[in-house]
Amino acid sequence: RDMDAIMGRDANLVAKIREAAAELTVSFVGLVSTPVPAIIATDFRAVCRMVEKETGLPTIAVRTDGTRLYDRGASAACDALVQKFTAPIPHDAMRTGLGVLGLTPLDFSREERASLHALLGREDTPIRFFDRLDDFREAARLKELLVVSPAGLKAARRLQRQWGIPIRAELPPAFIHEAFSAVLSRLAALLQDGQQREILIVHQQILANGLRLAICQRFPALPAGAVTVGSFFLLDRELQWEGDLHFRGEQDFHAYLQAHPDAIVIGDALLARAVPEPFGGTLLDLPHFALSGRKAPMHPSRTLEYAKNSISN
């Protein structure tokens, strides 16, 4: 409770955790900060020590404050798990396997995750998707890390610094072509007239970068800089191309479309709510669960109807 946090009654929280741990089969305890503990600077290291002493369970703290977006919290949680559980190994130890970081249900639908699992599973190497605690414990033994969303970058770079594991921040081209074939086909139909139009991809950065590469390869006649990535979420400088955009809010997105009234926007249909009137461009639906809570693309004819209903509701 807020008053417990403000008055420093940490023992109450520890007692509740002890009772829960006695009833559940758990491997560790995670403390995720909310605005009040963040404002009063709760000493989470001390609370973690108290919990570990009372429960015998390893405990991590995710120092969120309730004022930022989902990817920062996911990034902090993944990094905290790596810090706590990755076991040291000799630097000359044999390395094997591929680790996939950032495969969260907020960034990928169930079907997209299954497609990526199947594609990577064809490779003759063990894969760790960091969905089990053992994957974090054995992370230092990995031969390579594949980061598929910005939420996994911080943890991957920690593993790279500490254990020299190389990183690839990308999605396999075969996955992009398979998972987003419908978007690419609709884009091909729009570009048939040969008219030069700006293309804006709005999603998490690594997926958007992969889709941009697929578009540039499929349509080599597009001029340099015709495809731009924009995101409301983390935009890592090392992965940015010149001209990529970080939208601080819907107003920035709205302003971009006012400046590019004929653009093709590849993004969640919910973005239609922020499209200026009049707008002569096209919105191709690319669902982002973190944005709208939708997992599958809708029929093109329903995009504007969906947006209008979302506004009225």
Side-chain angles (χ1 to χ4, degrees), residues 74-300:
S75 174
C78 188
D79 187 49
L81 288 165
V82 164
Q83 287 186 69
K84 184 69 177 179
F85 292 107
T86 300
I89 62 167
H91 280 277
D92 59 351
M94 182 178 176
R95 298 181 182 276
T96 181
L98 172 69
V100 180
L101 283 159
L103 191 63
T104 80
L106 292 172
D107 294 300
F108 296 89
S109 69
R110 182 176 299 175
E111 292 74 18
E112 290 164 359
R113 294 198 303 274
S115 175
L116 190 59
H117 275 238
L119 180 68
L120 294 176
R122 297 173 198 157
E123 301 179 9
D124 188 22
T125 183
I127 312 291
R128 294 187 179 273
F129 289 96
F130 288 88
D131 51 3
R132 303 177 307 156
L133 206 54
D134 282 346
D135 293 348
F136 289 92
R137 292 187 176 117
E138 299 294 324
R141 297 186 177 275
L142 291 167
K143 188 175 182 179
E144 188 179 22
L145 293 168
L146 178 67
V147 184
V148 296
S149 79
L153 277 173
K154 188 175 182 181
R157 285 170 176 159
R158 180 180 298 278
L159 290 168
Q160 184 183 49
R161 287 194 307 271
Q162 292 183 342
W163 305 107
I165 306 172
I167 296 173
R168 286 186 291 133
E170 62 185 30
L171 281 161
F175 166 78
I176 294 291
H177 285 283
E178 179 181 318
F180 307 113
S181 59
V183 170
L184 292 169
S185 296
R186 287 200 62 211
L187 182 62
L190 290 172
L191 296 177
Q192 278 182 346
D193 58 9
Q195 181 182 354
Q196 299 296 335
R197 300 170 66 181
E198 296 87 357
I199 300 171
L200 174 68
I201 306 171
V202 185
H203 209 284
Q204 57 100 339
Q205 187 183 23
I206 293 176
L207 187 150
N209 278 351
L211 189 54
R212 168 165 53 192
L213 284 173
I215 291 170
C216 292
Q217 290 169 1
R218 183 163 177 175
F219 309 103
L222 286 173
V227 187
T228 302
V229 164
S231 184
F232 294 93
F233 306 106
L234 288 171
L235 207 64
D236 187 84
R237 289 185 179 180
E238 292 184 21
L239 305 180
Q240 273 185 264
W241 290 18
E242 185 178 353
D244 285 354
L245 303 167
H246 182 253
F247 299 129
R248 293 167 296 177
E250 291 86 345
Q251 296 87 347
D252 288 351
F253 174 70
H254 183 93
Y256 173 89
L257 294 185
Q258 284 183 317
H260 304 84
D262 298 319
I264 298 171
V265 180
I266 303 174
D268 197 289
L270 189 65
L271 293 172
R273 296 174 60 178
V275 170
E277 292 288 350
F279 177 63
T282 306
L283 176 61
L284 302 183
D285 186 23
L286 179 67
H288 190 176
F289 189 80
L291 195 67
S292 67
R294 290 190 308 109
K295 298 178 181 179
M298 62 176 59
H299 192 274

